[in-house]
Amino acid sequence: MTTYIIRRLLLLPLIILGVTLIVFSMSQLLGPLKLLSTYVDPNTYAKMSERDIQILMKQYGLTDPFPVRYGKWVKNLLKGDLGWSVVGKEPVLDALIHRFPYTIELALYALFPIIGVGIWLGVTAAVHHNSFIDQFIRIFALIGWSLPDFVWAILVLLIFYIGLGWFPPGNLSIWANQIVKSASFKNYTHLLTIDALLNGRIDIFWDALRHIIGPVIAISWLWWANLLRITRSSMLEVLRKDYVRTARSKGLPEKVVINKHARKNALIPVVTTAGQMVIGLLTGVVIVEMVFVRTGLGSFAATAAQQLDYASIMGVLLFTSLLLIIGNLIIDISYAIIDPRIRLG
Amino acid sequence: MSEEFKRTLKRFFTNPSALIGVTILIFFIIIAIFAPWIAPPKIPVNKNLEKARNLLENYSEENKYLIINELKNFWDDTYFFAEDDYIELSNLMETIAKFHNKEVSSNELKAHIKELTDYYILNITYYEKFDEETNKVIKNLKKEYNKIEKKYKESVISLNLINELEKIDGEEFVKQAIKVVSRFDKNFHEAIGFNPYIMPNVTTTRTPIPPSKEHPFGIVNQKDIFYGVIWGTRTAFEIGLVVVAISTVIGLFIGSVAAYFGGWLEEVLMRITDIFMSIPFMLAAMVLTTILGLGIKNMMIALIVFGWMVTARLIRGNILQAKNEQYVMAAKALGVSDFFIIVKHILPNTIFPVLINATMRIGSMVITAAALSFLGLGAPQGYADWGSILSYSRDWIIGGTNPTQYWFTILYPGIAMILFVIGWNLLGDALRDVFDPRMRH
């Protein structure tokens, strides 16, 4: 296993280099003229003559050969300079750092209900294989799997906000936002609910929680479907194994067989899906954040794309790719640790 | 083989989810094929031909020359200057050719362009922009020339057809005259850029109007939802099938090359696959679409560029596994040719998982594409596309005071979308069950 981990770690810089190359090449598809327009104020740009443009292009190095431009760009990256975000009205890196906690918070709150309910549904379906419950859960999964997230998100908003008035969109209510923005409110973790508790403001905690439940419901169905499918098929496979038959023939109660013997082993492949889910939640829940007007990486990327803010979208793409790479590395290594078959193999 | 095939077919058609999936998809295929009849596009009518059309409907002998006169008048209005314009632009093209050979100075060329703009043959911007963007202007002039050349040729052909009309009578005349009219109509549609995939505006107010007899699904943002849902079926099929087909072929190529050649080539190809997989799919597609410029085609390119990796990994893994199977080794030991082994043993065991995977990806690909349109990054304004209609719906539903007031704006496109994706997912599920060797007992 050590060689596996070492190999993965050695490949890491290569993968990161490759990702930066792809992202940079994508930005170069814009062509020098459009790239220049991202450096220059649009009003001045419209008045510039062809000569001025040529001079400026030289000045910014846009006429340099590709490797030179790439080298300069990577050098800036290493300094943390990702350019200026028009949408965020601040440097791209700052914009990313300011928005990331909101996405983390949403992911944290989504994580537990998704994993808990998803696994429970999967195990239930497998235990009652081919019964009415199983069929019902399968249809539930099929719909969740096929339901476009934007349709479901709108429906959630329609039912729980417009209809029942429970879970409003946004990050916070206006009154709570004013308190959070004021100087007396201290930001320890930048996670709204936790900061509210640390500041002793239960009312703000409830307000933040109310705003987060809607998006969580909107995200959950698709991942429930995903998780329960994996759990169900993995559980079915385990239930056919010899050691389960042995346990049953020993006369152990069915509950013990399922909870002690089968479920633990059935959950091994679920770890990968759960890990991918965490990465998926962190690398931007674009649609849900947009529909619920929440601050976060996903809504930042979408707004930047709508306003053709190239520096910002490149920044988000690089940042989320990095998260994905590191996340996948952690999943693969922990998978190797959990599953002895892989460790020995 | 045929026994096996028959058994597989039987298994497929006794599988309930396969039947439901196939039924749903056939339903959508029928809608897509018959879209022009189910929701006929409002084809714009050329007002100047109305009189000729009316006369043709109540045709009588004495009307013949009236009709020909009408057609000639129309021809005069449309094509009178075509020949002159064509000659003038041909001369200009000669000047440009000379300019390229350095026989003519740029000032002389500019003077020539000025002449044409003075006669209103060319737009004045060609003259104004000449100094700043010479190359671009010349390129556009060539396009202009091609356009006018086409128009001139069309004018000659249609004039001939009108003259031919004078020689014939009776039913033959009516038949030919209708042909000429529809020819003019077609040119008219080309000239104004008519496209049935662009939903026409049917009302003047932007507020959604509930379903009525004329518009059974209601109206949102001046667009008939029924029309959008029906024509959107074609868009969905186009996006799903084209994107998945092309990306699967790319993945197949890369994965099988890697598995077949092995060595450093395999290492390089698989690391490239890893790198592409390290970029979040939705965001990557979003960014690439934004950079290439909004529109269906660019969105499809973006989805293809970041959509081939799963296939590549799948086919490589399957081939490597199949190569080590005992029956393949046995065949090799028996001296069976490589070609025969690949066709008979490796391909059937490796291609089906890929096809099943492709079927299952179509649904999610259509969702991703619709999500991009929903964010305003995919289909252009007014394009018949489910994601776009749903994005109109969002503004009304979230902004609406009464939640149930605008239900129809989300219900119909939403149901179409969900059914379409469910159809593909059911089909994919059933295929997997039928072809998965572990299920064969």
Side-chain angles (χ1 to χ4, degrees):
Chain A
M1 190 176 68
T2 336
T3 47
Y4 173 74
I5 294 178
I6 288 175
R7 193 182 128 82
R8 286 299 305 262
L9 286 176
L10 282 178
L11 276 174
L12 193 65
L14 187 82
I15 302 272
I16 293 175
L17 196 74
V19 168
T20 58
L21 199 59
I22 290 177
V23 173
F24 182 72
S25 312
M26 266 160 65
S27 70
Q28 296 307 300
L29 286 176
L30 285 170
L33 271 177
K34 262 198 185 155
L35 278 175
L36 184 68
S37 68
T38 62
Y39 289 108
V40 186
D41 176 55
N43 290 326
T44 17
Y45 182 75
K47 284 181 207 144
M48 280 194 305
S49 71
E50 188 126 331
R51 256 191 69 119
D52 291 340
I53 290 176
Q54 293 296 342
I55 292 169
L56 266 182
M57 279 216 265
K58 273 245 166 68
Q59 201 178 325
Y60 282 112
L62 290 172
T63 47
D64 292 346
F66 184 87
V68 177
R69 276 177 290 153
Y70 177 63
K72 273 188 195 164
W73 182 75
V74 170
K75 217 166 146 192
N76 283 338
L77 266 190
L78 292 176
K79 276 189 254 164
D81 178 12
L82 291 165
W84 179 262
S85 163
V86 180
V87 173
K89 297 187 185 67
E90 56 189 336
V92 173
L93 191 65
D94 293 351
L96 290 174
I97 290 171
H98 288 153
R99 281 162 181 76
F100 193 36
Y102 291 94
T103 303
I104 294 180
E105 193 172 23
L106 181 58
L108 280 180
Y109 277 94
L111 200 58
F112 298 105
I114 292 176
I115 290 184
V117 175
I119 289 177
W120 173 68
L121 285 174
V123 171
T124 313
V127 170
H128 300 93
H129 186 40
N130 277 341
S131 71
F132 172 74
I133 301 177
D134 185 29
Q135 298 300 346
F136 181 79
I137 293 178
R138 284 180 81 177
I139 292 173
F140 177 81
L142 176 73
I143 296 175
W145 183 248
S146 310
L147 193 62
D149 41 4
F150 49 96
V151 175
W152 176 228
I154 292 178
L155 286 177
V156 169
L157 202 61
L158 191 65
I159 298 166
F160 292 103
Y161 170 53
I162 301 170
L164 301 168
W166 292 352
F167 309 133
N171 302 317
L172 281 174
S173 303
I174 297 168
W175 62 266
N177 204 23
Q178 278 169 350
I179 298 173
V180 169
K181 288 269 159 66
S182 68
S184 59
F185 190 89
K186 293 212 169 49
N187 288 316
Y188 301 101
T189 59
H190 292 277
L191 305 178
L192 284 175
T193 48
I194 296 176
D195 278 349
L197 287 180
L198 291 176
N199 279 285
R201 296 294 303 246
I202 298 287
D203 51 344
I204 293 184
F205 171 77
W206 281 120
D207 192 63
L209 197 63
R210 236 158 61 93
H211 283 83
I212 226 166
I213 293 176
V216 166
I217 298 173
I219 297 168
S220 297
W221 202 348
L222 172 69
W223 284 106
W224 278 333
N226 243 327
L227 262 183
L228 85 84
R229 277 175 161 219
I230 304 280
T231 318
R232 181 178 171 277
S233 60
S234 152
M235 189 76 184
L236 280 178
E237 215 177 299
V238 168
L239 284 176
R240 280 199 286 264
K241 285 269 154 71
D242 285 343
Y243 64 84
V244 173
R245 203 185 316 143
T246 313
R248 278 185 181 145
S249 59
K250 275 197 303 189
L252 286 180
E254 189 65 17
K255 217 175 177 181
V256 178
V257 173
I258 285 165
N259 289 344
K260 282 262 156 79
H261 290 74
R263 198 168 59 186
K264 238 185 219 165
N265 287 305
L267 289 188
I268 291 175
V270 178
V271 172
T272 313
T273 314
Q276 280 162 357
M277 184 188 80
V278 176
I279 299 174
L281 291 175
L282 286 181
T283 53
V285 237
V286 183
I287 295 289
V288 170
E289 281 184 352
M290 282 304 273
V291 172
F292 284 88
V293 212
R294 281 187 68 82
T295 315
L297 288 185
S299 55
F300 180 54
T303 335
Q306 284 166 353
Q307 301 185 14
L308 304 184
D309 178 0
Y310 299 113
S312 297
I313 51 176
M314 291 296 154
V316 182
L317 198 59
L318 270 181
F319 186 75
T320 50
S321 301
L322 211 60
L323 283 177
L324 187 72
I325 294 169
I326 295 167
N328 273 334
L329 185 72
I330 294 172
I331 292 177
D332 289 349
I333 290 176
S334 52
Y335 197 87
I337 294 170
I338 295 171
D339 192 343
R341 282 170 297 185
I342 293 180
R343 198 176 348 165
L344 298 172
Chain B
M1 184 69 193
S2 73
E3 252 327 290
E4 169 75 19
F5 185 66
K6 260 188 217 159
R7 253 186 294 147
T8 309
L9 268 187
K10 200 182 157 202
R11 244 196 331 259
F12 183 77
F13 282 108
T14 48
N15 186 321
S17 59
L19 289 180
I20 301 172
V22 168
T23 314
I24 293 175
L25 289 178
I26 288 176
F27 173 70
F28 276 113
I29 290 171
I30 290 173
I31 288 181
I33 292 174
F34 292 103
W37 288 275
I38 300 171
K42 222 185 203 161
I43 300 168
V45 182
N46 197 332
K47 289 260 162 56
N48 296 335
L49 281 171
E50 208 131 325
K51 203 169 168 195
R53 232 180 248 122
N54 286 340
L55 286 171
L56 265 173
E57 257 170 44
N58 319 308
Y59 176 71
S60 62
E61 225 30 65
E62 63 256 36
N63 278 345
K64 181 183 163 186
Y65 283 94
L66 268 177
I67 293 170
I68 291 177
N69 242 356
E70 272 300 315
L71 291 177
K72 274 194 171 158
N73 279 342
F74 182 82
W75 189 91
D76 275 349
D77 288 346
T78 325
Y79 295 118
F80 192 75
F81 293 109
E83 190 174 357
D84 288 353
D85 289 358
Y86 175 61
I87 293 169
E88 288 295 338
L89 269 174
S90 304
N91 288 339
L92 183 66
M93 284 300 119
E94 269 170 34
T95 315
I96 289 175
K98 278 181 189 162
F99 170 73
H100 282 312
N101 295 334
K102 308 254 160 74
E103 289 167 32
V104 169
S105 74
S106 83
N107 273 342
E108 278 171 283
L109 176 57
K110 200 176 161 190
H112 196 157
I113 293 175
K114 179 84 166 65
E115 227 173 82
L116 297 192
T117 54
D118 283 349
Y119 284 124
Y120 298 108
I121 296 174
L122 287 176
N123 194 312
I124 188 78
T125 47
Y126 284 110
Y127 173 72
E128 285 169 346
K129 293 262 172 170
F130 184 78
D131 288 328
E132 285 174 39
E133 303 170 45
T134 315
N135 287 331
K136 206 173 156 193
V137 164
I138 287 180
K139 212 169 122 196
N140 284 342
L141 280 174
K142 280 181 184 157
K143 273 189 204 157
E144 198 91 22
Y145 169 75
N146 289 336
K147 227 161 78 187
I148 287 190
E149 189 186 21
K150 204 176 151 204
K151 189 173 176 183
Y152 168 65
K153 281 185 180 157
E154 180 58 39
S155 78
V156 175
I157 294 170
S158 47
L159 187 62
N160 265 337
L161 286 176
I162 295 174
N163 288 336
E164 289 280 310
L165 284 179
E166 293 186 25
K167 293 175 201 155
I168 44 179
D169 287 298
E171 262 178 44
E172 185 62 25
F173 172 82
V174 178
K175 221 170 114 188
Q176 290 303 324
I178 288 176
K179 262 191 191 163
V180 173
V181 170
S182 60
R183 194 184 179 101
F184 282 148
D185 267 339
K186 211 181 121 205
N187 293 335
F188 172 68
H189 292 152
E190 258 171 41
I192 60 167
F194 171 71
N195 179 356
Y197 287 93
I198 303 292
M199 296 184 273
N201 289 353
V202 288
T203 51
T204 43
T205 72
R206 288 178 67 81
T207 325
I209 299 171
S212 60
K213 214 169 190 186
E214 244 171 281
H215 306 286
F217 289 0
I219 298 167
V220 63
N221 283 25
Q222 298 166 285
K223 317 283 189 224
D224 181 14
I225 298 177
F226 181 73
Y227 187 86
V229 169
I230 297 293
W231 285 81
T233 313
R234 287 188 167 197
T235 314
F237 269 115
E238 190 191 334
I239 292 172
L241 292 178
V242 171
V243 169
V244 170
I246 296 180
S247 61
T248 303
V249 168
I250 295 173
L252 273 179
F253 179 73
I254 291 179
S256 49
V257 163
Y260 187 81
F261 289 102
W264 65 269
L265 188 62
E266 180 182 20
E267 194 62 27
V268 169
L269 287 177
M270 293 332 284
R271 290 302 79 75
I272 290 176
T273 312
D274 285 349
I275 290 168
F276 270 88
M277 279 199 121
S278 306
I279 306 175
F281 175 62
M282 172 84 187
L283 283 177
M286 215 167 90
V287 171
L288 191 52
T289 315
T290 317
I291 285 173
L292 292 174
L294 311 184
I296 296 261
K297 249 198 202 125
N298 288 337
M299 178 175 72
M300 281 162 67
I301 293 174
L303 291 174
I304 290 169
V305 168
F306 290 100
W308 53 270
M309 294 83 74
V310 175
T311 315
R313 276 193 178 177
L314 195 64
I315 191 79
R316 172 182 164 270
N318 286 339
I319 291 178
L320 288 184
Q321 203 183 355
K323 261 163 95 177
N324 290 326
E325 292 287 357
Q326 280 184 348
Y327 59 84
V328 174
M329 291 197 188
K332 255 187 194 161
L334 284 171
V336 180
S337 73
D338 273 359
F339 177 78
F340 195 77
I341 291 179
I342 290 174
V343 171
K344 181 90 184 175
H345 295 300
I346 296 188
L347 214 58
N349 284 301
T350 51
I351 203 85
F352 281 124
V354 170
L355 289 181
I356 293 164
N357 174 267
T359 316
M360 299 186 94
R361 277 197 309 146
I362 290 177
S364 65
M365 209 50 102
V366 171
I367 291 187
T368 312
L372 288 176
S373 295
F374 180 79
L375 293 173
L377 303 173
Q381 262 297 319
Y383 200 87
D385 170 87
W386 297 335
S388 312
I389 306 175
L390 286 163
S391 79
Y392 302 151
S393 160
R394 171 190 57 180
D395 300 341
W396 291 106
I397 286 196
I398 295 175
T401 42
N402 181 357
T404 49
Q405 196 178 359
Y406 302 125
W407 55 273
F408 51 91
T409 59
I410 187 168
L411 184 75
Y412 297 113
I415 283 185
M417 180 110 222
I418 294 169
L419 273 183
F420 187 83
V421 179
I422 282 187
W424 282 108
N425 286 348
L426 279 175
L427 180 66
D429 258 3
L431 284 177
R432 193 186 50 187
D433 288 352
V434 169
F435 283 106
D436 192 338
R438 276 171 300 182
M439 297 284 185
R440 288 183 197 169
H441 45 67

